[in-house]
Amino acid sequence: MKNLGANTLRLPINPASVGTAWWKSYRATIDAATAYGDKVIVSYWEADSSKDGLVDDTAAWKTMWNTVVREYKHNPRVYFEPMNEPHGYTLDQWVSVTSGWLAQHKDVPRGRVVISGTGYNDNVTGVGAARELRGTLLSLHFYGFWNSYTQQSDWTADLEARLGKYAGRTIIDEAGAPMTIGLNYGAWNGNIYTSYLAAVANTARSKGMGLVYWPGLRFGDAYSIESLDSKGDLVDNSATGVALLR
C-alpha cells in the first residue's frame, strides 16, 4: 500500500492449502489484509502436476470452496474466483462449471464472485454474455508476451476486443511486465512492454476497471515490481513502472 498505492491482493488456494492445519496460517494473510482495509481475491489454482486447465478433483474442489465460503462469505472485502485460467473447458462447459458453483453458494453475493474469462482468462465476452452468470464480476488476464505490438494503440485495440462491452464488470486480475531490466515506462511507444503496460493502465483507468499486477514480490522473476532490501523492506524495482500503475 505504501509503495504502490495498492488496495487489493489476489491469492491462490487449492485443496492442499485449505482445510488442513496450514489453512490457519494462510488465513492470517487474508484476515490481516481485510482488517487493514484491503480487498482479497481468492482463486483456485490447479496443481503444477496437472496444468490441463481443468479442476483436478471436483469433490476436493467443492469441499475446499465450502470451507473458504463458510469462513469468508460474511466478509465484504473477500472475493471468490472459482478457478484461474480454465483453458481446458469450452465456453459452454465453463459456464456449466461456474453456474454450478453459484448454485452451490447462493448465499454469496454475485457481486463478490469473479468468473474467469475463457482460455487463459484471455477473453470475457463469452462469460459476460452468459445469462447464467449475470451479476458476477469477470476476470481478464492480459500479457505483453502474447503479441509483438510496439504501439499503445495496437495493444489497446487488442485489449478492448477481449473485453467487448463488459469492461464495467471486469477486473484485469493479471497483468505485468519486466520491472528489473531498466525499461522506461514513461516512454510508451516503440517497445513491446512499455506500450503494452501503458495500454493496460490507461484502459483500466479510463474505464474505471480494477487491475491486479503480477507479481508484487516474487524472487527470480523479472516482472516482480518489488524487491527486498538488506533490511528486509520492500523497495520498488522500477520508478517509472510504479508511476504508470499509480
Side-chain angles (χ1 to χ4, degrees):
M1 292 181 74
K2 176 184 175 184
N3 290 9
L4 305 176
N7 66 359
T8 301
L9 299 175
R10 180 170 176 260
L11 299 173
I13 56 171
N14 57 23
S17 62
V18 173
T20 61
W22 194 66
W23 174 231
K24 295 179 180 178
S25 299
Y26 201 51
R27 268 174 38 202
T29 304
I30 302 170
D31 296 345
T34 57
Y36 204 70
D38 285 359
K39 298 179 180 69
V40 174
I41 301 168
V42 286
S43 177
Y44 163 72
W45 282 32
E46 61 180 321
D48 282 340
S49 58
S50 179
K51 297 295 188 182
D52 58 2
L54 303 171
V55 171
D56 295 334
D57 180 326
T58 299
W61 178 75
K62 288 181 177 179
T63 299
M64 175 200 73
W65 275 119
N66 286 340
T67 300
V68 175
V69 169
R70 184 170 60 247
E71 186 70 35
Y72 290 110
K73 64 184 177 182
H74 297 302
N75 187 331
R77 295 188 177 119
V78 176
Y79 293 72
F80 306 96
E81 188 175 66
M83 184 178 181
N84 172 72
E85 298 187 347
H87 57 90
Y89 296 105
T90 65
L91 171 60
D92 287 346
Q93 289 170 337
W94 181 231
V95 170
S96 178
V97 169
T98 50
S99 60
W101 192 101
L102 292 167
Q104 181 72 27
H105 302 290
K106 292 179 180 178
D107 50 349
V108 175
R110 287 195 172 209
R112 286 171 49 208
V113 180
V114 185
I115 301 296
S116 295
T118 48
Y120 288 85
N121 284 51
D122 57 53
N123 192 302
V124 299
T125 58
V127 289
R131 295 171 59 93
E132 302 93 324
L133 305 178
R134 284 180 178 175
T136 63
L137 298 175
L138 308 174
S139 157
L140 183 77
H141 294 179
F142 191 60
Y143 281 108
F145 60 83
W146 289 356
N147 221 311
S148 57
Y149 310 127
T150 59
Q151 300 296 308
Q152 179 187 189
S153 58
D154 292 326
W155 283 113
T156 300
D158 189 327
L159 176 56
E160 289 185 342
R162 298 169 187 271
L163 289 168
K165 61 183 180 180
Y166 303 104
R169 291 170 59 190
T170 302
I171 305 164
I172 303 173
D173 78 3
E174 274 191 35
M179 291 291 164
T180 61
I181 61 174
L183 293 177
N184 177 12
Y185 288 98
W188 297 342
N189 292 319
N191 175 276
I192 291 174
Y193 290 105
T194 61
S195 58
Y196 148 81
L197 196 60
V200 174
N202 291 326
T203 298
R205 179 171 181 168
S206 67
K207 295 182 181 297
M209 301 170 65
L211 172 65
V212 182
Y213 182 84
W214 173 277
L217 174 68
R218 190 179 190 214
F219 301 116
D221 190 335
Y223 282 39
S224 185
I225 200 165
E226 299 289 291
S227 293
L228 293 180
D229 66 14
S230 59
K231 297 179 181 179
D233 294 326
L234 289 171
V235 294
D236 298 340
N237 286 329
S238 170
T240 57
V242 170
L244 176 57
L245 286 169
R246 288 186 74 110

